[in-house]
Amino acid sequence: MTPGKAHKTCGCCGRSMAKAVAVTDGVAYCATCYAREFKKVPCVQCGKTMRSLGGKTPATCRSCKAQDRYCIRCGKPVPRAGLTVEEGVVCPSCVRYYKEPQACAVCGQKSLRLSRDFQEGFTEPVCNHCRRESYITCPSCGKHRRPAGPDSQGRIVCKQCLERTGPFICPQCGQEGRAHSKTRCEACYWKNSVEKRMRSAVALLSRPWAKEAFSGFTLELRERVGAQPAAMRLEKYFLYFAKLDTLFITPGDITAEKLIMALGREGLRRYAVPQSYLIRHGIVPAFSDETLQAASAEAAQIALLTASEGQWYAGLLRRFHAHLAEINARYRTRGWQGKQQRFIPRTVTTALRAAKIFLDFLEIDPAAGVQHIQQMQLDRFLVEHPGYRDGIRAFVRFLNRKEKLFRKLKIESVQRNLPKGLILDRDRYTSLLRAWLNPADDVLKASLISTLMLLYAQTAKRLVRLRLTDLAQGATDGMYRVIFGRTEITLDPRVGHLLARYLERRRALATMEDTDDTDWLFPGRRHGGHLHEAIVSYYLKKQGVTAASLFTTAIYYAYLGGLRHPKVLVKAFGITDYTAVKYLQMIDPRLTAEVEARVASR
């Protein structure tokens, strides 16, 4: 059947007719031919009598056909079809998309949305723009309607708001609110809208567990964030459930590796809210940060190896990857896991990526192979890509030890001194502390993190991984104690007061998570996760400082305060022996130079 085209001639007898009684296989039948050609047969589903062309069986009646029928455009259930086409049926709301656009009687523009408005004097079909040209946005109800006159406050409002004498009492919930229509308030509209969108979305899912999970998630999201925000976000979150519904038969099949491959690391961040809901309700297993990082790194490594296929160095890169994986496994078997993990999967990815970029940079004959890599090429690469100086070291060691080179490659070490201005002066130091120890409530968390970094030489990575169990409060003196390194230290009373203020206002950042659900001192946006290090960098950037400057300044003023032995810094602040010695060696000559300069100026 051609959309929008009426059948005026019977395809059986050829006589004209006002309307076809039935259309089968593109042939229209009048009432006489219908009674002659269509024989009575029982419906194969309900058993009721119906008519079928030539008495052909099995046949299904219209009522049974409409039970599980969906619109071919929007996917909504269609109990009563607005239009029937060769591909299926169309709901009444989507019929206009299957008709030819008509010209507006006023502006002449073609549109699918033409209608008459006799109250406004439009006796011919016109577009919405012309029909509503005189409309206003009512300041009372927010609808785009025809103006009716001024209300008691002098505002030009629509007819419904002008006729209303008192506050609107919603007939549906019985509460006073903003009118959305005569039958319900705006809150009830959004509440019903969430349920309507949820039913439409559930109909598109095929797995029973996915349907149930999405329904429960939608209702809880509405309770947590409100009906209107939930309605706005529902389409975005539905994509996550649709992907799970397509990829996994049961929720038990979901693993971190499969999720990373399907969504990517960025996808897990984007869908952190529904992912948190599934984990919290035990629908899918909880994934630790270590597991997710390993899965993400493995996916990135596979992508790098796949991208190298067909290149002359493909085999070399695979051997290097196997070498790195062997080192990683060796670290794990020797107990370097959890907080103590070393040579993590992300390190493997970084080294593999640097190696591929270096090999792409080389301009050598593919037949020559790895033996023709020369020191001059490595030096030129480091000049043009200085950021890969550390990342390429593992590959250079691998070439020197595992591959046969004519001459070993070498990366010259660069002496690292403290950059100028890295240590904050006394005025800047005191002004920052004064501001961070007496912050407003909206910057309380940022101030606490910055203070701990400035006074106790803590890195962002260590701070965001602090747990509530790392803190303790004295029963008698009320002082807070914390473990940064090997020994427990007592926080300064002012810092303890700042920490107490934060603990009173501590809240979870995840949309549907409470502080009782997480043990992290600084909860993150992912369920069961901590604050991201990038957020700490954002806090510091707003203050005009960096993590490196706070770390160096903390050690510098600790040195001035008497902490001049590396082991003291190691035990108190938890930094490594090498770092403590390095910084103290760099700071001590500076102190000597300052003293000499002051003596000379006298």
Side-chain angles (χ1 to χ4, degrees):
M1 176 179 177
T2 304
K5 181 180 179 181
H7 293 267
K8 300 296 184 181
T9 304
C10 178
C12 183
C13 63
R15 289 180 294 185
S16 61
M17 56 184 176
K19 183 180 180 181
V21 176
V23 179
T24 302
D25 297 331
V27 180
Y29 295 86
C30 63
T32 303
C33 295
Y34 175 77
R36 183 180 65 250
E37 300 294 336
F38 287 74
K39 309 301 182 182
K40 292 183 178 181
V41 295
C43 174
V44 70
Q45 293 188 14
C46 63
K48 294 183 179 180
T49 302
M50 58 166 291
R51 285 183 178 270
S52 171
L53 180 61
K56 185 179 180 181
T57 57
T60 307
C61 65
R62 293 183 178 180
S63 300
C64 294
K65 287 181 179 178
Q67 286 181 358
D68 297 321
R69 189 169 58 181
Y70 299 94
C71 176
I72 60 175
R73 180 182 178 274
C74 66
K76 296 180 181 179
V78 185
R80 184 176 181 85
L83 183 66
T84 301
V85 294
E86 295 180 359
E87 296 81 6
V89 296
V90 183
C91 67
S93 301
C94 296
V95 168
R96 62 176 177 272
Y97 297 102
Y98 291 82
K99 294 184 177 180
E100 292 293 331
Q102 303 295 323
C104 173
V106 176
C107 65
Q109 295 290 332
K110 289 189 175 183
S111 174
L112 293 174
R113 298 174 177 268
L114 298 180
S115 59
R116 295 178 175 86
D117 193 338
F118 294 100
Q119 293 184 1
E120 291 292 326
F122 297 109
T123 57
E124 296 296 328
V126 295
C127 63
N128 288 341
H129 177 74
C130 295
R131 185 167 60 87
R132 299 182 178 183
E133 191 172 6
S134 61
Y135 281 26
I136 63 167
T137 300
C138 177
S140 177
C141 63
K143 296 297 186 62
H144 192 61
R145 290 174 174 169
R146 186 182 298 109
D151 61 358
S152 58
Q153 303 178 21
R155 303 177 300 176
I156 303 298
V157 296
C158 64
K159 181 180 178 181
Q160 291 186 9
C161 295
L162 186 64
E163 294 175 350
R164 191 182 306 116
T165 56
F168 177 77
I169 304 299
C170 177
Q172 183 171 334
C173 65
Q175 302 293 325
E176 178 182 341
R178 187 177 185 180
H180 180 270
S181 64
K182 292 182 178 180
T183 59
R184 57 185 175 180
C185 62
E186 195 173 62
C188 289
Y189 164 76
W190 285 111
K191 184 177 180 180
N192 297 340
S193 178
V194 171
E195 296 176 355
K196 182 179 178 181
R197 298 183 187 192
M198 179 187 71
R199 290 193 297 269
S200 300
V202 166
L204 300 177
L205 300 175
S206 58
R207 314 286 185 193
W209 74 267
K211 294 175 180 284
E212 183 179 354
F214 181 73
S215 301
F217 167 76
T218 302
L219 297 178
E220 184 170 331
L221 181 68
R222 186 182 65 181
E223 296 298 323
R224 292 275 188 158
V225 304
Q228 183 175 358
M232 297 294 100
R233 304 176 192 178
L234 208 56
E235 183 177 354
K236 166 190 170 183
Y237 293 146
F238 170 73
L239 297 177
Y240 174 76
F241 287 91
K243 290 181 179 180
L244 297 187
D245 179 69
T246 304
L247 297 174
F248 305 105
I249 299 177
T250 63
D253 299 335
I254 301 176
T255 62
E257 292 77 11
K258 292 180 180 179
L259 274 181
I260 291 291
M261 294 298 294
L263 305 175
R265 182 70 177 178
E266 183 65 18
L268 286 184
R269 184 199 63 80
R270 188 183 302 114
Y271 299 121
V273 175
Q275 177 74 12
S276 300
Y277 170 83
L278 296 179
I279 293 176
R280 188 169 62 255
H281 289 268
I283 301 176
V284 301
F287 307 121
S288 64
D289 288 341
E290 184 178 351
T291 303
L292 290 176
Q293 290 173 4
S296 178
E298 182 179 356
Q301 293 162 23
I302 293 175
L304 289 171
L305 294 176
T306 303
S308 68
E309 292 296 333
Q311 301 293 334
W312 68 270
Y313 55 79
L316 173 64
L317 205 62
R318 285 195 300 269
R319 294 195 299 273
F320 178 53
H321 177 251
H323 172 71
L324 295 176
E326 181 182 349
I327 297 176
N328 175 257
R330 188 187 311 146
Y331 271 82
R332 290 200 309 269
T333 56
R334 296 182 180 180
W336 296 96
Q337 300 181 17
K339 290 184 178 181
Q340 306 297 328
Q341 62 179 336
R342 297 291 186 273
F343 209 85
I344 58 178
R346 187 171 59 184
T347 306
V348 176
T349 306
T350 302
L352 194 66
R353 182 179 292 109
K356 185 179 185 305
I357 294 174
F358 172 62
L359 293 172
D360 287 332
F361 175 82
L362 296 178
E363 298 178 357
I364 62 176
D365 184 6
V370 66
Q371 285 77 19
H372 285 252
I373 299 178
Q374 301 178 7
Q375 181 67 43
M376 179 179 61
Q377 295 171 318
L378 177 59
D379 294 339
R380 190 170 76 250
F381 173 77
L382 295 177
V383 170
E384 298 186 17
H385 302 82
Y388 288 100
R389 176 176 292 272
D390 289 333
I392 200 64
R393 289 182 184 274
F395 184 60
V396 172
R397 285 196 300 268
F398 169 76
L399 293 178
N400 291 334
R401 297 175 182 178
K402 301 294 183 177
E403 300 292 327
K404 295 181 180 180
L405 301 179
F406 291 118
R407 293 187 61 182
K408 291 187 176 182
L409 303 176
K410 183 179 181 181
I411 299 179
E412 296 292 340
S413 299
V414 179
Q415 183 64 29
R416 295 184 177 180
N417 296 318
L418 294 180
K420 185 177 181 181
L422 192 62
I423 298 179
L424 303 178
D425 57 55
R426 174 63 67 174
D427 293 337
R428 178 69 168 155
Y429 177 79
T430 55
S431 63
L432 285 176
L433 271 183
R434 190 180 301 110
W436 290 342
L437 290 174
N438 299 280
D441 291 341
D442 57 338
V443 293
L444 189 57
K445 177 167 42 176
S447 300
L448 176 60
I449 293 175
S450 304
T451 302
L452 294 176
M453 296 179 72
L454 183 57
L455 291 182
Y456 301 101
Q458 294 301 298
T459 62
K461 181 178 180 180
R462 291 177 60 87
L463 278 181
V464 297
R465 287 168 172 76
L466 280 178
R467 296 181 179 271
L468 295 178
T469 51
D470 296 327
L471 304 175
Q473 187 177 17
T476 56
D477 56 6
M479 302 288 287
Y480 280 95
R481 297 173 177 82
V482 65
I483 301 177
F484 290 132
R486 303 174 187 172
T487 60
E488 185 179 71
I489 62 174
T490 302
L491 296 179
D492 184 276
R494 294 169 296 177
V495 180
H497 175 69
L498 182 64
L499 176 60
R501 284 183 56 194
Y502 168 73
L503 292 176
E504 292 177 358
R505 295 167 176 80
R506 173 176 169 269
R507 64 182 185 86
L509 296 182
T511 303
M512 296 193 296
E513 186 177 46
D514 298 322
T515 53
D516 296 336
D517 299 331
T518 177
D519 185 45
W520 298 109
L521 178 60
F522 303 107
R525 294 191 177 278
R526 187 177 62 81
H527 175 75
H530 53 70
L531 192 69
H532 201 277
E533 297 171 35
I535 303 299
V536 179
S537 300
Y538 171 73
Y539 291 156
L540 300 180
K541 186 177 181 180
K542 292 180 65 175
Q543 298 291 337
V545 294
T546 63
S549 65
L550 295 186
F551 184 83
T552 307
T553 303
I555 296 181
Y556 176 69
Y557 283 101
Y559 187 96
L560 294 180
L563 300 180
R564 302 193 175 187
H565 198 284
K567 288 187 177 180
V568 178
L569 296 177
V570 171
K571 292 181 179 180
F573 297 159
I575 60 180
T576 63
D577 299 345
Y578 174 79
T579 302
V581 172
K582 181 183 70 173
Y583 272 87
L584 290 180
Q585 286 178 345
M586 292 179 179
I587 290 173
D588 188 71
R590 175 170 179 166
L591 292 176
T592 305
E594 289 183 357
V595 172
E596 293 176 352
R598 291 177 183 176
V599 173
S601 62
R602 292 179 181 176

